[in-house]
Amino acid sequence: MTATVVIGSQWGDEGKGKIIDFLGQNADVTVRYSGGDNAGHSLVVNDQKLALRLIPSGILAPNSICIIGNGTVVNPHTLLDEIKELNQAGVNTDHLRISDRAHIIFPYHILQDQQQERDRSKNGEKIGTTNKGIGPAYMDKMQRIGIRAVDLLDAEGLKEKIAFNLAQKQRVLDDDLWEQLPGVDELTKQYAEYGQILKDYITDTSYLINTKLHEQKRVLFEGAQGTMLDIDHGTYPFVTSSNPTAGGAATGSGIGVTKIKHVIGVCKAYVSRVGEGPFPTEQINEIGDRIREVAHEYGTVTHRPRRIGWFDGVLMKYVADVNGLTDLVVNCLDVLSGFDEVKICTGYQTDHGVINYYPASEKELENLTPIYETLPGWQEDLTQMQSYDELPANAKNYLKKIEEITGVQVSAFSIGPNREQTVVVNDMWD
């Protein structure tokens, strides 16, 4: 069996969707194991741009089963809109499956998200959430009051659960937010209808995945966001509410960790971040502006301009260890063309000396100074190149330096947004 996990190696938006799409052409099953519809990812296929939020990128592989796992939180309204958009674009979604154990997002979760940001802003502590209700849905899951996909198929039980949750939410929502909520009968009717529309998709996906693994099929696991947004290992509290790291693939899909063979980290040749939180190598200057515009670095879902920085080797070494990376894919190498020199962070200068690890302390992260190694840049346009050998020497040296710092082989790199602009150096399946 071959179970391969693809994770984001920075703060998300690294281009995982494109790599999942690329690898998914040879996968029998593709699984999304964490996050919700706040995790936008763009794909370009045959010059057509598709913006997915919840459905795994593997939906574009018609012969692959596409699964939304138990570790996700699902907004049915968003999901149905996305299915409709894909169908209108000519993409068949009959091979989509949803875990019966996946938790469901309700309107009160979205309002609770707004409430929490409102409360935090009073103290100047906004997290920068997308207000999609992701965090509150995970909160209910941990409080054991969440409503799962399987519950949408039982209207009577669903009404009892919704009534209980509404009573809880009335205690935490301001009056103006509470007044926006539909009543229990309306919510029950709406979500029971969602259940009827989605019932052919909802199933025990853990059983399905494990059956395929026993049949020696190729299963590809897709995490949302990136490692540095992981609830445990990211830049807390400026993180998401789930585990997009490789370990989350096992719990978020219902397989044993011993079944995972490869862990592929996707990163950019630089670093980007959306929202608040520490960012040691951030470039708030002409360099950052130039990279942002060349790469069109704006959020898929939020359209917010992304923050830009030089490649952070300290962060990437941490990510390699946390996830147990076996391979790296470096996206957007073409974006750095035209720079006379490029930089890679190799250490952090702190008040107590130089460190080569990623600290947990917010204060320490805010006060450290990156230590850079400067490498000669390249002027050549990379976008039409089809092999590693065609790269200019300085671009090759840049990739070698990333390998040297992280201890992980660069098995592929991309030189443009299209599937065909992914250059494979090592086979990532075998």
Side-chain angles (χ1 to χ4, degrees), residues 89-327:
V91 178
N92 189 347
T93 55
D94 290 346
H95 53 301
L96 176 66
R97 297 293 180 268
I98 305 164
S99 171
D100 50 10
R101 293 175 170 86
H103 281 248
I104 302 299
I105 294 174
F106 283 78
Y108 49 74
H109 291 128
I110 296 170
L111 293 174
Q112 192 174 351
D113 228 344
Q114 296 175 24
Q115 180 72 62
Q116 290 171 344
E117 281 294 271
R118 179 185 291 183
D119 293 342
R120 289 190 190 103
S121 65
K122 295 175 183 177
N123 298 319
E125 298 176 351
K126 291 183 70 174
I127 298 296
T129 176
T130 55
N131 286 319
K132 297 288 184 178
I134 310 298
Y138 277 115
M139 289 169 61
D140 282 2
K141 177 178 180 177
M142 294 305 170
Q143 289 182 306
R144 293 164 290 181
I145 60 172
I147 297 175
R148 303 182 297 170
V150 69
D151 297 318
L152 301 184
L153 308 180
D154 172 18
E156 184 177 346
L158 177 62
K159 183 174 182 178
E160 293 178 3
K161 289 180 169 65
I162 290 175
F164 179 84
N165 274 276
L166 286 175
Q168 302 297 311
K169 304 308 176 185
Q170 188 172 13
R171 299 170 183 165
V172 299
L173 293 176
D174 289 343
D175 290 343
D176 63 316
L177 296 178
W178 172 254
E179 289 171 0
Q180 298 178 35
L181 271 177
V184 61
D185 290 334
E186 184 178 346
L187 272 180
T188 302
K189 181 176 182 294
Q190 180 184 14
Y191 276 75
E193 287 177 355
Y194 287 149
Q196 289 306 301
I197 297 171
L198 295 170
K199 64 181 180 181
D200 291 338
Y201 295 107
I202 298 171
T203 190
D204 185 340
T205 53
S206 173
Y207 176 79
L208 178 57
I209 296 166
N210 281 291
T211 297
K212 294 300 179 181
L213 286 171
H214 291 312
E215 293 173 356
Q216 305 300 313
K217 301 298 184 181
R218 287 178 167 181
V219 182
L220 192 61
F221 296 88
E222 172 185 358
Q225 289 101 14
T227 294
M228 300 312 294
L229 294 175
D230 186 277
I231 187 69
D232 289 297
H233 303 291
T235 47
Y236 192 90
F238 304 98
V239 293
T240 192
S241 303
S242 60
N243 292 112
T245 41
T251 55
S253 62
I255 67 162
V257 294
T258 55
K259 296 179 180 177
I260 297 173
K261 184 176 181 181
H262 299 295
V263 181
I264 301 169
V266 182
C267 65
K268 289 175 180 172
Y270 48 93
V271 187
S272 70
R273 177 169 194 169
V274 171
E276 306 297 325
F279 188 171
T281 66
E282 184 172 14
Q283 299 296 299
I284 309 175
N285 51 32
E286 292 181 1
I287 292 171
D289 293 342
R290 174 177 168 179
I291 291 175
R292 182 182 302 107
E293 294 310 311
V294 170
H296 308 293
E297 288 286 1
Y298 295 89
T300 302
V301 172
T302 63
H303 304 294
R304 289 181 291 183
R306 293 173 183 148
R307 300 157 63 191
I308 304 296
W310 288 121
F311 190 91
D312 192 333
V314 179
L315 177 149
M316 279 302 306
K317 182 63 172 68
Y318 169 72
V319 168
D321 290 340
V322 166
N323 290 284
L325 296 185
T326 59
D327 303 83

Side-chain angles (χ1 to χ4, degrees), residues 317 373 399-408:
K317 182 63 172 68
E373 181 170 339
L399 294 178
K400 288 176 182 176
K401 177 58 67 173
I402 290 174
E403 289 183 325
E404 176 187 320
I405 291 171
T406 63
V408 183

Side-chain angles (χ1 to χ4, degrees), residues 1 17 20 26 55 72 75 85 155 177 203 249 257 299-300 312 327:
M1 67 185 73
I20 288 286
N26 296 308
I55 294 177
T72 64
N75 185 324
E85 290 171 9
L177 296 178
T203 190
V257 294
T300 302
D312 192 333
D327 303 83

Side-chain angles (χ1 to χ4, degrees), residues 314 346-350 352-359 364 368 371:
V314 179
T346 58
Y348 298 146
Q349 179 68 54
T350 71
H352 53 274
V354 175
I355 61 174
N356 296 295
Y357 60 88
Y358 203 88
E364 190 167 7
L368 59 77
I371 300 171

